[in-house]
Amino acid sequence: MIEAQGKESIVRQRYAAGAKERADKLCCLVDYDSEYLQAIPREVIERDYGCGDPSRHVHEGETVLDLGSGTGKICFIAAQIVGPKGRVIGVDMTDDMIEVARRNAPVVAQRIGYANFEFRKGRIQDLALDLELLDQELKQNPITDAASFLAADELAAELRVKHPLIASDSIDIVVSNCVLNLVEPKSKWHLFDEIFRALKKGGRAVICDIVSDEDVPEEMQNDPELWSGCISGALTEEGFIAAFENAGFYGIQILKRDAQPWRTVQGIEFRAVTIEAFKGKQGACFERNQAVIYRGPFKEVLDDDNNRMERGKRYAVCDKTYNLYKKAPYREFFEFVDPLVEVPPAEAKLFDCSRTALRHPKETKGQNYVATTEANSKCCDGGSSCE
Ligand SMILES: C[S@@+](CC[C@H](N)C(=O)[O-])C[C@H]1O[C@@H](n2cnc3c(N)ncnc32)[C@H](O)[C@@H]1O
């Protein structure tokens, strides 16, 4: 039986050893883009304990946060993709992992020509707390009794506010490669809230992790080898997606799901998936007379606000939803209908997003619209076949 704190120290011990010497059992085979591996020292590439490649979803100029960055491989790849205008922060709780990443950082910087990355010590379920700052403070004021323990607790709370390891709303994309499953059960939900907090509005998370096809029984969860080996801490496929939903993410989708399990234990399959989830649905809804038409191919869809939309029908949406649907991951699924006369934002009234309403074409054109026009030549590409 291992208690929560026990799980975390077992994980730390196992990855401290994995930082010093490659541990084969801890990784799936991942096909990283070889173009980016050339600048990365062998020691880093060898100590790869990932199960996917979230760096493929990073864009130029973005600020990236890698959760459980290990020896730094994903950070060093992402650093090359975001380029000198972007920035990459790796967070890990294991000193030996951070040591390898920091020691190799100048080599990568020299090879790519800039240093747009850094490695910080923290727990990914508590991204506000800078563990190196706390370490420094505790060296000066060690915990020796109950009073100093309570003082340390207060100090940690103060550090989270005054010197957060990762500030709120500061990150364009949070990535992670095979780490979330290692977080102790009681902190798992908080972990998703922390990812949400760190992201800017409009930002996204792309997480590669191991999930199970069935609930993992308690005896398996209490097996230290299976827990620290990225097996028994896995959420179920459904539970993983629900965790993003509960934290307030929208537009959640499975980008990749390995058909073959990585491992099967007592009949339960454990496989790698990559999930993408967006932040930015929060905020007031305003009526600007816009409409969307769901293009199909399904007969109907249910959106993250529980609005059910049938294929081909015009639905009234608020300005925020209209603009969200114009972007990834939705834009290919909708047609967009602008009102004939724009409603200026300052004049827009509140819109009730909790009900689904169809939008009559007269609402977008205006009740008095009675125009009659000549044939639009663009309809026939300027040809004569419509004449
Ligand atoms: C399976 S390895 C993956 C490392 C890296 N992402 C890769 O692709 O090679 C897990 C890493 O997450 C770190 N880790 C595990 N639990 C953590 C936590 N709660 N907070 C921060 N780091 C954690 C470990 O120290 C280790 O470096």
Side-chain angles (χ1 to χ4, degrees), residues 8 11-12 15 26 32 47-51 66-71 73-74 91-94 97 122-125 176-179 182-183 230:
E8 192 166 302
V11 167
R12 204 179 273 114
Y15 289 97
L26 290 176
Y32 300 104
R47 288 159 215 185
D48 168 22
Y49 303 121
C51 60
D66 180 19
L67 304 180
S69 43
T71 58
K73 175 198 63 249
I74 292 295
V91 169
D92 205 287
M93 68 173 184
T94 307
M97 284 288 183
R123 295 158 82 222
I124 62 172
Q125 64 270 43
S176 183
N177 197 3
C178 213
V179 185
L182 294 167
V183 172
C230 292

Side-chain angles (χ1 to χ4, degrees), residues 266-282:
Q266 294 174 24
I268 301 177
E269 292 183 351
F270 295 89
R271 59 167 48 75
V273 292
T274 303
I275 301 287
E276 179 181 50
F278 290 80
K279 170 177 172 177
K281 196 162 59 72
Q282 293 63 30

Side-chain angles (χ1 to χ4, degrees), residues 36 53 82 87 100 132 184 196 223 276 289 335 364 371:
Y36 299 117
D53 183 7
V82 299
R87 205 168 144 229
V100 176
E132 273 172 330
E184 63 201 17
F196 192 83
D223 179 322
E276 179 181 50
N289 281 350
E335 291 293 327
T364 41

Side-chain angles (χ1 to χ4, degrees), residues 102-331:
R102 284 183 179 162
R103 180 158 44 73
N104 283 285
V107 181
V108 177
Q110 200 253 327
R111 289 181 187 168
I112 68 175
Y114 49 85
N116 58 349
F117 41 75
E118 60 181 300
F119 297 94
R120 301 181 185 173
K121 183 175 163 186
R123 295 158 82 222
I124 62 172
Q125 64 270 43
D126 188 3
L127 286 168
L129 185 59
D130 185 328
L131 291 183
E132 273 172 330
L133 276 184
L134 187 62
D135 276 345
Q136 280 169 24
E137 296 282 346
L138 291 181
K139 264 187 201 136
Q140 284 165 23
N141 303 296
I143 298 175
T144 51
D145 54 15
S148 55
F149 169 79
L150 293 173
D153 203 34
E154 254 178 53
L155 172 71
E158 194 182 313
L159 287 177
R160 284 187 188 96
V161 176
K162 292 196 176 153
H163 305 285
L165 183 77
I166 304 294
S168 302
D169 308 306
S170 62
I171 303 293
D172 294 307
I173 173 167
V174 172
V175 297
S176 183
N177 197 3
C178 213
V179 185
L180 272 53
N181 70 80
L182 294 167
V183 172
E184 63 201 17
K186 74 172 165 50
S187 303
K188 274 232 168 59
W189 305 118
H190 194 52
L191 162 67
F192 287 88
D193 291 342
E194 276 293 84
I195 298 174
F196 192 83
R197 179 187 68 79
L199 282 168
K200 291 177 188 168
K201 194 171 177 186
R204 66 206 186 281
V206 176
I207 309 292
C208 304
D209 220 305
I210 298 293
V211 292
S212 62
D213 64 346
E214 292 181 55
D215 286 325
V216 181
E218 216 173 310
E219 14 8 306
M220 265 171 75
Q221 291 191 36
N222 289 331
D223 179 322
E225 182 74 11
L226 287 178
W227 184 277
S228 60
C230 292
I231 302 285
S232 55
L235 291 170
T236 60
E237 288 168 355
E238 274 177 72
F240 199 41
I241 288 179
F244 285 101
E245 279 178 19
N246 292 339
F249 286 95
Y250 75 92
I252 303 158
Q253 60 175 323
I254 302 170
L255 296 179
K256 189 167 181 281
R257 177 183 177 276
D258 286 0
Q260 286 304 316
W262 171 46
R263 276 189 67 184
T264 303
V265 184
Q266 294 174 24
I268 301 177
E269 292 183 351
F270 295 89
R271 59 167 48 75
V273 292
T274 303
I275 301 287
E276 179 181 50
F278 290 80
K279 170 177 172 177
K281 196 162 59 72
Q282 293 63 30
C285 298
F286 291 101
E287 169 67 285
R288 296 187 68 205
N289 281 350
Q290 295 126 321
V292 294
I293 301 170
Y294 169 54
R295 302 172 73 180
F298 293 101
K299 202 166 162 13
E300 60 177 28
V301 284
L302 186 68
D303 75 5
D304 280 301
D305 289 322
N306 282 322
N307 295 309
R308 194 174 292 281
M309 287 180 274
E310 288 178 46
R311 178 176 55 209
K313 291 191 178 174
R314 286 182 185 214
Y315 289 91
V317 287
C318 74
D319 187 49
K320 186 182 60 183
T321 304
Y322 191 71
N323 288 309
L324 284 182
Y325 284 179
K326 281 191 158 181
K327 294 190 287 200
Y330 299 114
R331 75 187 145 224

